[in-house]
Structure formats: structure tokens, C-alpha cells
């Protein structure tokens, strides 16, 4: 049994080279040995040793992300290609006992589905056979506490975010008593898992909203980065390998169900492609501060390079605009960093050519210290705000991972 220092999860008995971490990269031993469309283990290990994040193309349909462990899977897991995010409201009369029952049901369902086994009452078991890096991550909204008599156990930060100047929030995309984040490399498997888990708790819940998202096909761009619908490489300066330090709650005074858990911010951010179309390429690059083709900062280097924010052009003006997205989003305080895990959404309203944006998800151990100051600075001034508008917002507490014999958030009900 190996133990992953970042996810804290058990990676299973494995002869996988240490640099190829099965939990983070979703490679089961079986996938490494037999999967990957004939891709040799040596090629995979070679890519890892070359310093690349393992390419998602190297994963097979049988790739399994372990889910039992110190933290829930689907947080520091290298983002899969597809997302279904469902927020639920608890039905009237659901008390703590029934919430506990719901979380027991989900624990069992997630246990099975993510490991390639059908759920107990699965009417389409064949859709569960090849999990393709399926992860299901559960979070609790404030209503899970206020409605069930658990208010005294609600973390103080578990409440709607403060209002920000540039947003136009729509209730239809906001809030929720519970959230289920289902991610995977196969949209059919993701859809099946999401429906199964939603169906399993329909006596206790109603669906408040569902948001579907996607990134690039495996192999298009290095895993961890994707091209958003503005054409930008997105994710370049994300946490890479330092996640544990910033993402998982490690305050010893935190309640046991949260110690090892996280906080989740969900924002639905509309991207106005019609007005973005009016902007030329230099204008587009200026808005973010990075090049469109290779994602390098306008001050040079590669996608991995940090921008030189002090650099001036021949006229003495800053090369990275004072209001560029990367200048306004970055922080001088390293303790304010967080993990971004966004997906592109694509709406389909009749009569419009594009209704697109991001289901923008961030994980951090402390929302008020890490996320809010950055969001506040960005909302006040950021060139990108001309083309992006937050239209939905929600906050969830993500319970710690479950070990053998446990169920999700069980310490909450002690
Ligand atoms: C649709 C909305 C958004 C788009 C299209 C977008 C796009 C981008 C792009 C292209 C980059 C540069 C590449 C990278 O480092 O990932 C970036 C960086 C970044 N973004 Fe965003 N972003 C969006 C929303 C947000 C929000 C809401 C936040 C947080 C409040 C945020 C925080 C950051 C941070 C922290 C960086 C890295 C800055 C650095 O250290 O260089 N972004 N974003």
C-alpha cells in the first residue's frame, strides 16, 4: 500500500514508479499495465520523469482514482475532461438523521461507482464498468445545517460570499444545501454516476441547479491546463504540487469532519464572446498579461514562467498592464494562494450564438483569508471584467475523506 503525501489517499498496492502517482493522475495499476490503448508503461513513466504532468491521454477507460483516504478525491485530482455539478436542496422535514442516511447512501454509491462497480440499485450497471477516472466529491451548504437542527455546528464561514461590484447573480445558479461534483474522462460515465447518485437521494432532496462543463480532449494541452473559450491557456500558474499546504484544512481546532476537508467556491462566470470578438489579438493578450499561443507572460519565458511585473516597455509603461488579470489576481501574500479547477460551460438558449463561460471552482482551506481578498481586488479592477460577469455563486464545506468503514461527514453526527 502506498500513501500519497498530496492527496493523503491510499494509492493501492502498486508497482507504479514513484513519479507516476496513481491517485493524482488517475492511473490504476491495471490501467498502467494493460490500458492506455497500447501505450507502454515506459512511455508514461518517461513523460513523468521528463517533468511533465502525466498526459490524460495515457489513461485508459479502466483508470481508477482511489477515493477512500484522508481527503475526498476530485479536489487535487488532475482535472478530468468532463464535469457535472449538481446542487441540491433538502426536502422539507429532512432532519439530521435523514441527512446522515443520505450521506451513508452517497458513500456507498460513490464507493462503488468510482471503483468501477455499479451502485446497489443500478439499473444500467454496464455504464459503471469503465470508470475512466471518475471522481465524486460531496460538499455541504449552509442549509444542510440550518434546516436539520445542526446550526450550532455550521462553520461561521459557510454562508454566501459578500457582494462584489461586477456581479449579476441569478438565484437560479446560486446557493444549494448540498453539492455533488462528478468528474471523469467519459461524459457517459459522468452522466450515469450523477443521475444514479441524484436518483438515490430523491426522497430527501430536490435538484436546485445542474451545471455541466468540459475542458480539452485528453492530449490537447498538458493536463492541468486547458484552453478556455477566449482561447487562453488557463491554469498555468495554478498550485502545482503544493496543494496540500493550501487546500486541506489542517487547523487542529477545526471539527473532526472538516479536518482534512476543504472549502469550495463555485462561481458561474459568463464570458461575452460577442464583444471579445471585437478585440484584436494584442488587446486580448494585454487583458490577461499572457500570450495566447503559448501562455507565456508578455515579459517573456514560457507558460511556466512567472511574469516580471516591474518590466517597462520602451516608452516607460509597464509591459503587464496595471489592470491585467494576472496582475490583479496574483497575490504578494503566498498564504492567499488557492486551487482553481474551472470548466467551460456551454448553454444552448435558442436565438443566441454563444452562451458560454466558466463553472469556476476553487478549493482552499480558508475562504476568508485566501479567496475573498483576491476576488475583491479583481472585482474592483481587472481588464477581464469587461468581458466576464459572475452570474452564479455558492459556497460549500467539503468534508474530509472517508477511510474504510466510515461514511461521509460522520463525525458531524456524533
Ligand atoms: C471566466 C473567468 C476567468 C477567466 C477566463 C480567467 C482566465 C485566466 C487566465 C487565462 C489566466 C492566466 C493563466 C493562468 O495562470 O492560469 C488566469 C490566471 C489567474 N486567475 Fe483567472 N480567469 C477567470 C476567473 C478568475 C477568478 C474568478 C479568479 C479568482 C478570484 C481568478 C484567479 C486567477 C489567478 C490567481 C491566476 C494566476 C495569477 C498569477 O499568479 O499569475 N481567475 N486566469
Amino acid at each position: 500500500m502506498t500513501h500519497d503525501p498530496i492527496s493523503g489517499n491510499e494509492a493501492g498496492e502498486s508497482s507504479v514508479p514513484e513519479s507516476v502517482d496513481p491517485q493524482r493522475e488517475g492511473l490504476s495499476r491495471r490501467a498502467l499495465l494493460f490500458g492506455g490503448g497500447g501505450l507502454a508503461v515506459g512511455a508514461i513513466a518517461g513523460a513523468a520523469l521528463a517533468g511533465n504532468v502525466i498526459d490524460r491521454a495515457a489513461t485508459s477507460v479502466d483508470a481508477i482514482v482511489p477515493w477512500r483516504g484522508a481527503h475526498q478525491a476530485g479536489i487535487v485530482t488532475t482535472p478530468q475532461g468532463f464535469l457535472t455539478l449538481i446542487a441540491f436542496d433538502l426536502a422539507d422535514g429532512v432532519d439530521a438523521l435523514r441527512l446522515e442516511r443520505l450521506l451513508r447512501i452517497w458513500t456507498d454509491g460513490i464507493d462503488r461507482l468510482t471503483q468501477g462497480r455499479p451502485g446497489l440499485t443500478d439499473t444500467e450497471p454496464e455504464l459503471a464498468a469503465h470508470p475512466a477516472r471518475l471522481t465524486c466529491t460531496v460538499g455541504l451548504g449552509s442549509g444542510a445545517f440550518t434546516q436539520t437542527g445542526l446550526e450550532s455546528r455550521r462553520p461561521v464561514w459557510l454562508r454566501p460570499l459578500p457582494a462584489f461590484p461586477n456581479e449579476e447573480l441569478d438565484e437560479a445558479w446560486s446557493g444549494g444545501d448540498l453539492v455533488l461534483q462528478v468528474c471523469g474522462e467519459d461524459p457517459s460515465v459522468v452522466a450515469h454516476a450523477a443521475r444514479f447518485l441524484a436518483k438515490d437521494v430523491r426522497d430527501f432532496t430536490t435538484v436546485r441547479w445542474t451545471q455541466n462543463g468540459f475542458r480539452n480532449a485528453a492530449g490537447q494541452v498538458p493536463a492541468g491546463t486547458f484552453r478556455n473559450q477566449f482561447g487562453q491557456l488557463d491554469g498555468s500558474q495554478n498550485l502545482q504540487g503544493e496543494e496540500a499546504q493550501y487546500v486541506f484544512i489542517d487547523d487542529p481546532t477545526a471539527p473532526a469532519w472538516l479536518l482534512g476537508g476543504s472549502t469550495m467556491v463555485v462561481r458561474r462566470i459568463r464570458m461575452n464572446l460577442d464583444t471579445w470578438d471585437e478585440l484584436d489579438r494584442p488587446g486580448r493578450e494585454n487583458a490577461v498579461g499572457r500570450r495566447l499561443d503559448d501562455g507565456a507572460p508578455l515579459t517573456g519565458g514560457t507558460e511556466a514562467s512567472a511574469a516580471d511585473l516591474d518590466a517597462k516597455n520602451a516608452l516607460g509603461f509597464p509591459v503587464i498592464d496595471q489592470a491585467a488579470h494576472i496582475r490583479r489576481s496574483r497575490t504578494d501574500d503566498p498564504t492567499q494562494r488557492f486551487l482553481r479547477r474551472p470548466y467551460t460551460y456551454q448553454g444552448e438558449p435558442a436565438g443566441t450564438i454563444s452562451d458560454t463561460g466558466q463553472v469556476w471552482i476553487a478549493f482552499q482551506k480558508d475562504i476568508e483569508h485566501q479567496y475573498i481578498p483576491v476576488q475583491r481586488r479583481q472585482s474592483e479592477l481587472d481588464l477581464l471584467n469587461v468581458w466576464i460577469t459572475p452570474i452564479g455563486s455558492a459556497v460549500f464545506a467539503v468534508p474530509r475523506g472517508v477511510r474504510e468503514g466510515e461514511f461521509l461527514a460522520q463525525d458531524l453526527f456524533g
Side-chain angles (χ1 to χ4, degrees):
M1 191 76 77
T2 57
H3 192 260
D4 172 12
I6 294 175
S7 71
N9 287 6
E10 288 152 0
E13 194 178 306
S14 172
S15 58
V16 172
E18 212 170 287
S19 52
V20 186
D21 170 1
Q23 202 285 333
R24 292 199 63 218
E25 310 314 335
L27 294 170
S28 68
R29 181 166 182 249
R30 181 166 167 228
L32 273 170
L33 296 179
F34 306 113
L39 196 67
V41 174
I44 301 171
L49 293 173
N52 297 332
V53 178
I54 279 288
D55 196 316
R56 293 204 335 264
T59 64
S60 84
V61 294
D62 291 325
I64 286 174
V65 179
W67 108 276
R68 290 220 173 239
H71 314 295
Q72 289 194 58
I75 303 173
V76 300
T77 308
T78 302
Q80 303 95 319
F82 298 92
L83 160 83
T84 292
L85 188 69
I86 310 179
F88 299 85
D89 282 337
L90 292 173
D92 288 346
V94 169
D95 56 7
L97 209 64
R98 297 192 87 199
L99 178 62
E100 178 185 329
R101 171 100 190 100
L102 179 157
L103 291 166
R104 281 181 188 272
I105 291 172
W106 268 357
T107 302
D108 181 70
I110 296 171
D111 218 3
R112 292 166 186 272
L113 291 167
T114 57
Q115 307 304 298
R117 291 177 292 133
L120 260 187
T121 54
D122 207 329
T123 42
E124 291 82 25
E126 292 80 6
L127 277 168
H130 305 290
R133 299 189 66 229
L134 181 73
T135 58
C136 305
T137 316
V138 172
L140 307 178
S142 60
F145 297 81
T146 48
Q147 287 203 28
T148 56
L150 294 171
E151 173 64 17
S152 62
R153 301 191 184 179
R154 179 178 62 86
V156 281
W157 52 263
L158 187 56
R159 56 186 173 203
L161 295 172
F164 298 107
N166 63 327
E167 59 193 12
E168 293 173 17
L169 298 186
D170 183 343
E171 269 299 292
W173 298 119
S174 301
D177 297 340
L178 295 168
V179 76
L180 177 67
Q181 176 195 267
V182 183
C183 295
E185 302 294 3
D186 184 335
S188 302
V189 174
V190 169
H192 170 68
R195 177 166 188 270
F196 178 82
L197 294 169
K199 202 167 74 166
D200 235 12
V201 299
R202 67 181 160 196
D203 289 346
F204 311 90
T205 59
T206 51
V207 171
R208 186 181 174 97
W209 47 254
T210 300
Q211 306 195 41
N212 292 312
F214 53 84
R215 291 169 66 108
N216 286 108
Q220 279 272 9
V221 290
T225 306
F226 75 113
R227 278 214 187 261
N228 64 36
Q229 291 299 294
F230 285 160
Q232 303 154 340
L233 277 169
D234 200 329
S236 318
Q237 295 298 301
N238 215 348
L239 297 179
Q240 274 155 14
E242 325 112 290
E243 290 90 342
Q245 198 184 332
Y246 298 103
V247 169
F248 298 119
I249 296 170
D250 53 6
D251 175 355
T253 66
W257 64 274
L258 261 181
L259 194 57
S262 190
T263 79
M264 180 184 192
V265 170
V266 177
R267 305 277 282 173
R268 186 173 178 92
I269 305 179
R270 192 174 59 215
M271 295 162 63
N272 191 334
L273 291 190
D274 296 337
T275 53
W276 183 253
D277 275 350
E278 294 161 8
L279 194 63
D280 62 10
R281 211 166 161 89
R284 292 175 172 205
E285 294 186 329
N286 193 52
V288 164
R290 286 185 170 265
R291 290 163 52 118
L292 283 162
D293 54 358
D294 60 3
L298 296 181
T299 47
T302 66
E303 188 191 350
S305 308
D308 176 359
L309 296 176
D310 298 325
K312 302 271 191 303
N313 65 18
L315 297 171
F317 292 112
V319 177
I320 308 285
D321 195 285
Q322 293 293 7
H325 180 66
I326 59 166
R327 187 190 287 277
R328 300 298 297 168
S329 306
R330 71 171 293 286
T331 169
D332 285 331
D333 179 351
T335 66
Q336 286 180 344
R337 300 185 67 202
F338 46 78
L339 181 70
R340 292 174 280 142
R341 213 171 182 280
Y343 282 79
T344 293
Y345 74 75
Q346 180 71 53
E348 292 148 5
T352 60
I353 293 173
S354 55
D355 169 25
T356 197
Q358 291 195 354
V359 186
W360 193 92
I361 300 171
F363 293 100
Q364 53 277 302
K365 58 184 175 188
D366 184 340
I367 287 192
E368 292 181 0
H369 179 71
Q370 292 167 274
Y371 168 78
I372 290 181
V374 175
Q375 182 61 74
R376 188 165 285 136
R377 198 168 49 245
Q378 195 191 96
S379 303
E380 283 160 4
L381 179 70
D382 184 336
L383 282 176
L384 216 50
N385 289 346
V386 175
W387 302 277
I388 66 175
T389 310
I391 56 171
S393 184
V395 173
F396 301 99
V398 180
R400 67 171 174 83
V402 288
R403 300 194 178 81
E404 218 47 60
E406 294 183 331
F407 67 93
L408 281 161
Q410 71 174 42
D411 321 289
L412 190 56
F413 305 95

